[in-house]
Amino acid sequence: MFENKYSNLWIILSIILYRIALDYSYELVISDTFAYTGLGNNFNTGNYIISWCFLLTFVPFIINMNKNITYSNCVLLLLSAISLIPSTTLIAYLNFDAKFVILLYIYWLCFFSYNALFPKFQIKTNSNKKLFVLISLLLCMSVLYISWKYTGFRFHFGLKDVYDLRLEAREYNVGAIVGYLATAANKLLPIILIYCILKRKKIASIALIVVILLNFGIEGSKGVLFSLFLCVLGFYFFRYRRTIFVFGMLGLMSAWSIVEFIFLKKFFFGFIIYRMLLIPSQLNYCYYDFFKDNELDFFRQGFLRHLGFESPYEGGIEFLIGSRYFNDYETRANNGLFTDAYYNCGIIGILLFPLILVFLLKLIESVSNGVDERLIFVPIYMVALAFLSTTFTTALLTHGLLLLMLMLYYIPRNKESYR
């Protein structure tokens, strides 16, 4: 009992210290640098108190999830760290509408509650090495084909000109099937790499690293390199029970962003905080602000457009939001979670969409049962990032979540397969 109380106290302290560090980072680093993007410092004591009440009511949920670590709990813990807590910081420093704050609170309350109450179910998996290898080969071949046809097997290691590669990649006409496989390969190839490392297949592991690097050379997606780094990090350090450390790690990163900004005159970690933690939370309000006075989309720019439904908005809504709130007509202001729920279905979406996401998490949890924990880190990060950055329908069809579930369903999981 003492050990459990000690663990709970550590969780509470790590969450509080992370939030405090993030607040100071926002006040001293972010608001000073990115005020022109709308992230100003409009501190208000009343909003600050509300933001802490908002956060602290969810701490018992976080503690309870840590007692029973599962795949779905891991994803929700990660989303709590990279989305929920940064949202509370912005509530403290920006003048959000009270209705938005209430709807955001209801969204997270539904998300946590549905996850706690949703019954666990088990799908009988089919460990099939041949089908797993077939999926792996299809992913690799799609990358090799695009790399050969459009880039001449280009290796690219720079990060400063990746946007030029992305503009170039928009002109590629690769077809729907190959394009889907190549996009899914961004996230799934690192998982296959870890599987090969676990099986001690050195040649296959080296070949996969080459394919991943070629994949980066196609459009310069930083996520490709980041996933490669994360898969190695996860292989050596990740276990389900260690997920809770994400709050402490982000707290340290927030604190260090202040140190490097003030004493080292650098902005590396400050930019990571701005880009990874605060922009998605800011976009939640941007979408709310636009759609509270305009017609909801109801998936008409999503899957319904393939059925002949027309959206009332010309061009992508993400470009509309980027131009309206950031004065950049080429910025894709993609976002998920609250944004996805509100601009598609309004208040009904706030209540319904968390249930859909929980169902998907439980489904992935079921098909991943028995898979080595060292393989699961990338799927946790992949799904959390997909939910955070885009609509759940796009995550399923474009970001490879359906193919992820299929791959986890077939992946060999008996003990002999890892020797």
Side-chain angles (χ1 to χ4, degrees), residues 39 71 154 165 181 184 189 214 219 272 277 307 313 323 345 362 386:
L39 291 177
Y71 177 88
R154 174 177 61 197
L165 299 185
L181 289 172
L189 287 181
L214 285 172
E219 58 177 342
I272 293 177
L277 303 180
L307 302 178
Y313 305 101
S323 62
C345 295
K362 298 295 183 179

Side-chain angles (χ1 to χ4, degrees), residues 104-327:
L104 185 65
Y105 183 86
I106 293 173
Y107 178 88
W108 281 104
L109 181 62
C110 289
F111 207 165
F112 281 108
S113 299
Y114 294 156
N115 183 68
L117 298 174
F118 202 96
K120 184 178 181 180
F121 61 91
Q122 183 61 50
I123 296 176
K124 185 177 180 181
T125 54
N126 180 19
S127 297
N128 192 314
K129 185 178 179 180
K130 291 182 180 179
L131 288 175
F132 174 73
V133 171
L134 177 61
I135 294 172
S136 303
L137 288 175
L138 288 173
L139 293 171
C140 291
M141 289 171 62
S142 67
V143 172
L144 292 173
Y145 170 75
I146 297 174
S147 180
W148 161 71
K149 184 173 182 179
Y150 295 100
T151 72
F153 293 118
R154 174 177 61 197
F155 288 98
H156 186 86
F157 300 100
L159 295 176
K160 294 183 178 180
D161 55 349
V162 293
Y163 292 103
D164 295 333
L165 299 185
R166 293 180 191 179
L167 290 174
E168 176 188 317
R170 290 182 184 178
E171 304 300 322
Y172 299 162
N173 185 20
V174 299
I177 296 178
V178 175
Y180 174 74
L181 289 172
T183 302
N186 293 347
K187 312 293 192 309
L188 300 183
L189 287 181
I191 302 173
I192 303 169
L193 172 61
I194 292 299
Y195 174 79
C196 291
I197 293 174
L198 286 169
K199 289 199 67 177
R200 300 178 183 177
K201 299 293 185 180
K202 295 181 180 180
I203 296 178
S205 298
I206 294 173
L208 278 165
I209 292 174
V210 172
V211 173
I212 291 172
L213 293 176
L214 285 172
N215 195 21
F216 177 71
I218 293 174
E219 58 177 342
S221 174
K222 296 177 184 178
V224 173
L225 291 183
F226 194 48
S227 295
L228 179 60
F229 168 76
L230 281 178
C231 79
V232 176
L233 184 70
F235 175 78
Y236 287 105
F237 298 105
F238 176 75
R239 300 297 181 270
Y240 277 132
R241 66 182 184 275
R242 297 175 184 171
T243 308
I244 198 69
F245 291 128
V246 67
F247 297 100
M249 293 171 59
L250 290 177
L252 288 174
M253 185 174 73
S254 300
W256 181 252
S257 71
I258 300 171
V259 173
E260 71 165 3
F261 184 77
I262 295 176
F263 298 103
L264 303 179
K265 308 301 179 183
K266 296 183 181 295
F267 191 64
F268 178 75
F269 285 98
F271 182 78
I272 293 177
I273 290 171
Y274 163 73
R275 186 67 186 86
M276 183 177 73
L277 303 180
L278 297 175
I279 284 185
S281 299
Q282 181 188 17
L283 285 174
N284 282 331
Y285 187 75
C286 293
Y287 275 85
Y288 162 80
D289 184 63
F290 180 82
F291 282 99
K292 68 182 174 66
D293 298 319
N294 292 282
E295 185 179 354
L296 300 175
D297 188 63
F298 293 109
F299 299 106
R300 285 173 288 182
Q301 285 205 0
F303 69 94
L304 288 183
R305 74 179 186 275
H306 300 295
L307 302 178
F309 292 88
E310 293 186 4
S311 172
Y313 305 101
E314 295 183 4
I317 292 175
E318 65 274 17
F319 289 109
L320 175 63
I321 298 298
S323 62
R324 184 183 181 101
Y325 292 92
F326 300 95
N327 297 316

Side-chain angles (χ1 to χ4, degrees), residues 69-85:
I69 291 294
T70 62
Y71 177 88
S72 60
N73 285 350
C74 283
V75 173
L76 194 46
L77 284 172
L78 186 56
L79 289 174
S80 301
I82 62 179
S83 183
L84 171 62
I85 293 180

